[in-house]
Amino acid sequence: MEKIIIYVNGKDRVGLISDITKEISSLNGNIETSKMIKLNQDFNMLILASIDNQKIDSLNKNLSLYSDLSISIKKTSSNKIEPNNEYIFILKGADTEGIVHQCTQLFSDLKINIIDLETQLINAPITGTPLFYIKSIISVSKNTSLQIVKDKLDDLENKSNVKIKFEKYNSDLNN
């Protein structure tokens, strides 16, 4: 079985997910991980699937029949993330310009690998004031001092007037 990544983008419509998953399933492919989201009027899918190498061309041909969608398939290599070294990072605060870059630059400077990152605007519970929310699963190298990471996150929290949660990630709980 070959691991592939399928990228799908197009105007949102009823049945879009069903169409794509049907094509994968019809060739005995298996969806392992996926992210699917509507952004304004566009629907986006990112799928990690495993499929027999001999069926990838057929899948590509079948998916190309959906002319309302932009679809590409890429073969990928196996995951090399250090086990048991994943952490969850959650930030909530005012919607400040550049906050995503500040966080990702900090991770880059500390040689922290981002596995998953999600951002959105949410409303504060009582006032309804818009708050910016970042949730990320990160992999911290065993060579990186956790105390330095915590200190840098404290600095970011104080400088940017945000609240940050940083703790060991437990995929069973999906934090």
Side-chain angles (χ1 to χ4, degrees):
M1 297 293 265
E2 188 78 41
K3 301 258 189 204
I4 59 172
I5 297 174
I6 305 168
Y7 302 92
V8 180
N9 171 270
K11 187 173 180 185
D12 188 34
R13 62 173 169 77
V14 173
L16 192 153
I17 296 172
S18 177
D19 288 343
I20 301 303
T21 57
K22 173 189 75 175
E23 297 301 341
I24 296 167
S25 180
S26 72
L27 294 168
N28 298 341
N30 183 45
I31 296 175
E32 297 182 12
T33 303
S34 67
K35 295 281 184 175
M36 303 179 195
I37 187 169
K38 181 178 176 182
L39 299 170
N40 288 334
Q41 293 304 309
D42 287 315
F43 197 81
N44 298 274
M45 301 171 73
L46 182 60
I47 301 168
L48 174 66
S50 54
I51 190 167
D52 186 288
N53 191 38
Q54 322 249 309
K55 296 181 179 180
I56 294 173
D57 287 339
S58 295
L59 178 62
N60 207 13
K61 181 181 174 191
N62 294 352
L63 291 175
S64 72
L65 299 175
Y66 297 95
S67 59
D68 61 328
L69 302 173
S70 171
I71 301 173
S72 66
I73 296 176
K74 175 190 179 297
K75 290 183 182 180
T76 186
S77 55
S78 65
N79 190 2
K80 301 273 193 228
I81 295 173
E82 297 177 33
N84 301 320
N85 221 26
E86 294 177 352
Y87 291 81
I88 187 163
F89 167 85
I90 296 176
L91 177 145
K92 291 181 186 175
D95 187 11
T96 307
E97 188 173 316
I99 192 68
V100 175
H101 174 66
Q102 288 175 25
C103 295
T104 57
Q105 183 65 55
L106 176 63
F107 295 155
S108 178
D109 291 346
L110 294 171
K111 308 294 187 238
I112 293 173
N113 190 38
I114 299 170
I115 298 166
D116 186 40
L117 188 132
E118 168 187 337
T119 66
Q120 62 181 317
L121 283 176
I122 59 175
N123 293 326
I126 297 172
T127 64
T129 304
L131 295 175
F132 195 72
Y133 173 84
I134 299 173
K135 177 182 175 186
S136 185
I137 309 303
I138 57 178
S139 178
V140 179
S141 168
K142 293 193 185 299
N143 299 329
T144 302
S145 162
L146 282 179
Q147 189 57 54
I148 290 174
V149 172
K150 290 175 183 176
D151 291 345
K152 296 285 187 181
L153 291 175
D154 285 345
D155 290 346
L156 177 64
E157 187 174 51
N158 294 326
K159 183 180 91 177
S160 301
N161 196 27
V162 296
K163 184 69 179 147
I164 293 176
K165 174 183 173 184
F166 174 75
E167 61 187 37
K168 193 78 168 151
Y169 177 66
N170 182 343
S171 62
D172 294 336
L173 299 177
N174 199 15
N175 292 71

